[in-house]
Amino acid sequence: MSVWVALAMLFFGTFALSCLIPILEPHLREIFTPHYTVEGIVLAAIPLSFAFGTAIWQWLITHDYICGLDSVSIAGLIIVAVTLLLLGPSKAFNIPIDLLWLDVVCFLALGGAASMIYTSTINALLEGAELKKMNKLAAYSTITTMIVLTQSIALVIGAPIGGSLFQYLDFQTATSIISVILFCVCALALLHCTVKCVLTVRQYRRLVMASEAEQAEARRTRTFRAPVMGASAAAASSPKPTILDRNFSRNSQFTASRLTDRRPLLASPTGKGRSYGTYL
């Protein structure tokens, strides 16, 4: 997963939640007037589900139960977009706005989706740090800085936009507009991941074909020279097959290193290697 794609997913996920900061409280006050205790309990569902979701998704990623970090991040953003449509709820659904259970479910879904985006972003940044061969202290300090900056910028941009949408429109329309923005971002992210996967598969295929061609050339050279010069003379006077064999070995090792994970920061507690699909 690209570092910039991971940060973009984190930015828009935080942006969506920050848009809700200035508009959730007035919306809930209209429904639960004057039950401020109920309002506080309902809002507590977001950090509660985020805390449990972060632990669960980090365990799944660490133990190799996740095929790719891109899929987790994009799925989390899609869940946020769908939840915002139901939180309004959108006028297209014709759902009453005073359903307490629907608000609780939406807040739990928002926290869980945010945990998906957050954990996948951290692991993607760890992969980027390993590719740069950074030590652990520099890696974690850099990752923390990037996450804090991304979330801060998203909060600064999202909160005024959410307040403006609520002021000039209404809560249902505001959440629908934010949801449409997230769906557009998800579509671009899916397009990027698809193109990247296709290019990666083509690159691996070229590496394998080049290695097979060099191995076949080495075999043809041995077969042609051995009957003419004799086995001992061919072995002594034809270093080219040895060079080709070494090139084939290097290419094979390079291909294998691209398909396996030897990154210490991301080592699995179970001792298993991470799936190469995680890095597409």
Side-chain angles (χ1 to χ4, degrees), residues 6-280:
L7 291 176
M9 295 294 102
L10 179 64
F11 173 84
F12 283 101
T14 309
F15 167 80
L17 295 179
S18 63
C19 288
L20 297 177
I21 293 176
I23 65 177
L24 266 183
E25 193 272 337
H27 170 69
L28 293 177
R29 184 177 298 177
E30 294 178 358
I31 300 175
F32 304 115
T33 304
H35 301 285
Y36 296 103
T37 303
V38 177
E39 177 183 337
I41 294 174
V42 172
L43 289 175
I46 297 179
L48 180 65
S49 61
F50 177 80
F52 283 98
T54 300
I56 293 173
W57 283 105
Q58 185 60 39
W59 184 84
L60 292 174
I61 293 173
T62 305
H63 290 76
D64 305 323
Y65 291 109
I66 301 300
C67 180
L69 298 178
D70 287 340
S71 60
V72 177
S73 184
I74 296 174
L77 204 62
I78 292 176
I79 292 175
V80 174
V82 174
T83 304
L84 289 177
L85 291 177
L86 297 175
L87 180 63
S90 177
K91 297 179 181 179
F93 296 152
N94 196 20
I95 301 176
I97 63 174
D98 56 348
L99 296 178
L100 176 59
W101 66 268
L102 182 60
D103 289 337
V104 173
V105 171
C106 289
F107 289 156
L108 290 174
L110 285 175
S115 67
M116 296 172 64
I117 299 173
Y118 186 77
T119 52
S120 61
T121 301
I122 290 180
N123 284 273
L125 294 178
L126 284 174
E127 293 178 3
E130 289 296 339
L131 291 176
K132 296 293 184 181
K133 298 181 180 180
M134 302 172 64
N135 59 61
K136 289 188 176 182
L137 180 60
Y140 288 119
S141 60
T142 304
I143 289 171
T144 303
T145 303
M146 297 175 70
I147 289 177
V148 171
L149 284 176
T150 303
Q151 291 179 325
S152 300
I153 295 173
L155 286 170
V156 171
I157 297 176
I161 292 178
S164 300
L165 291 175
F166 184 74
Q167 180 179 359
Y168 294 104
L169 300 172
D170 56 4
F171 184 80
Q172 294 175 299
T173 307
T175 54
S176 299
I177 292 175
I178 300 170
S179 178
V180 171
I181 294 174
L182 296 184
F183 277 122
C184 294
V185 173
C186 291
L188 293 176
L190 288 173
L191 178 62
H192 174 271
C193 293
T194 302
V195 173
K196 189 174 182 180
C197 286
V198 171
L199 294 178
T200 303
V201 171
R202 289 181 179 178
Q203 181 182 5
Y204 289 148
R205 187 175 298 173
R206 285 196 297 267
L207 289 173
V208 172
M209 292 177 63
S211 299
E212 292 177 350
E214 291 182 355
Q215 187 183 32
E217 180 65 23
R219 292 174 179 174
R220 284 197 299 269
T221 304
R222 290 196 189 97
T223 304
F224 175 75
R225 293 190 177 186
V228 177
M229 302 177 60
S232 59
S237 61
S238 59
K240 188 174 182 181
T242 304
I243 296 175
L244 290 174
D245 285 342
R246 291 176 181 175
N247 290 336
F248 173 74
S249 177
R250 293 194 189 101
N251 289 331
S252 300
Q253 293 174 2
F254 176 73
T255 305
S257 66
R258 295 294 299 273
L259 298 176
T260 57
D261 178 25
R262 302 180 184 274
R263 300 183 171 90
L265 284 179
L266 300 174
S268 173
T270 60
K272 298 188 299 181
R274 293 284 298 280
S275 169
Y276 76 91
T278 303
Y279 307 105
L280 295 181

